[in-house]
């Protein structure tokens, strides 16, 4: 395995990661919104292979397997890969690879997925270039990352003024809190210089995290999800999503 020592590894807390992400409304909503945008823009019947880069416990891989794709799931955590193995145990078209993105053997896929990974990486832009190179010409690359602008907005709304003044840095970083968020427009400027065409953009959780009454995240989940689907691709709301999703196709 090749891994940048500055990239986040979830060994020892894999089960906590699984519970805190996919056992909450925020994780469920993020996952369902990503599926909504992928299904709107991709005819999966035309695809054969997929790479789930930094796919962790295999939540997205499981969906791709159910769509009939041969899936390669990579991660730098042994523990998360073991959870993915158990979750996808009924599939014989899943390949698990213990590696970071830059250490992956060069192979091209019809679909490359990299969701909520960039914000944990020391060098996100080199990783983007590698993933584009692993996408077949005409294939799809789905990228989602933690939105730095939304992080700033949220902390100001929560009244964390000292935290913002300190550059949103803390001495004791919480391991499940991304510490390298990115600005969507900066990422888009970089992507527009690559051999890809952006076909869809969306904010993910544009409203969920800002609700005045947090209990509505549960009690009004379906109404909230409908609002996210309706406005997540529209200005100005897309830029406020806690995560930002870009779907692109490789053109050369």
């Amino acid at each position: 395995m090749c891994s940048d020592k500055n990239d986040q590894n979830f060994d020892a807390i894999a089960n906590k990661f699984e519970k805190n992400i996919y056992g909450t409304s925020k994780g469920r909503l993020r996952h369902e919104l990503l599926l909504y945008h992928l299904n709107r823009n991709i005819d999966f019947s035309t695809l054969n292979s997929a790479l789930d880069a930094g796919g962790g416990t295999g939540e997205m891989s499981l969906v791709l397997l159910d769509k009939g794709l041969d899936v390669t799931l990579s991660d730098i955590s042994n523990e998360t890969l073991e959870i993915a193995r158990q979750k996808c145990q009924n599939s014989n078209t899943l390949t698990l690879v213990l590696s970071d993105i830059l250490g992956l053997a060069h192979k091209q896929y019809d679909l490359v997925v990299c969701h909520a990974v960039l914000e944990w990486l020391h060098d996100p832009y080199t990783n983007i270039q590698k993933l584009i190179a692993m996408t077949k010409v005409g294939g799809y690359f789905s990228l989602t990352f933690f939105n730095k602008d939304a992080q700033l907005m949220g902390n100001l709304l929560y009244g964390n003024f000292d935290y913002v003044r300190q550059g949103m840095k803390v001495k004791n970083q919480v391991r499940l809190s991304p510490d390298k968020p990115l600005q969507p427009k900066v990422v888009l400027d970089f992507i527009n210089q690559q051999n890809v065409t952006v076909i869809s953009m969306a904010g993910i959780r544009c409203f969920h995290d800002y609700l005045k009454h947090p209990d509505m995240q549960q009690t009004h989940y379906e109404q909230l999800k409908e609002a996210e689907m309706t406005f997540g691709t529209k200005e100005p709301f897309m830029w406020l999503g806690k995560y930002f999703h870009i779907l692109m196709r490789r053109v050369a």
Side-chain angles (χ1 to χ4, degrees), residues 4 12 23 37 45 51-52 64 72 77 89 132 161 170 172 184 215 222 239 242:
D4 189 317
H37 293 298
S45 68
L51 169 66
D52 190 359
L64 299 177
T72 297
S77 166
Q89 61 183 328
I132 291 174
F161 303 120
V170 293
N172 299 316
D215 60 298
E222 292 302 327
W239 306 110
K242 278 300 179 79

Side-chain angles (χ1 to χ4, degrees), residues 202-219:
I204 303 296
R205 296 204 331 248
C206 299
F207 312 112
H208 173 281
D209 298 50
Y210 306 118
L211 287 177
K212 183 176 181 180
H213 302 292
D215 60 298
M216 294 182 71
Q217 296 168 355
Q218 301 286 345
T219 61

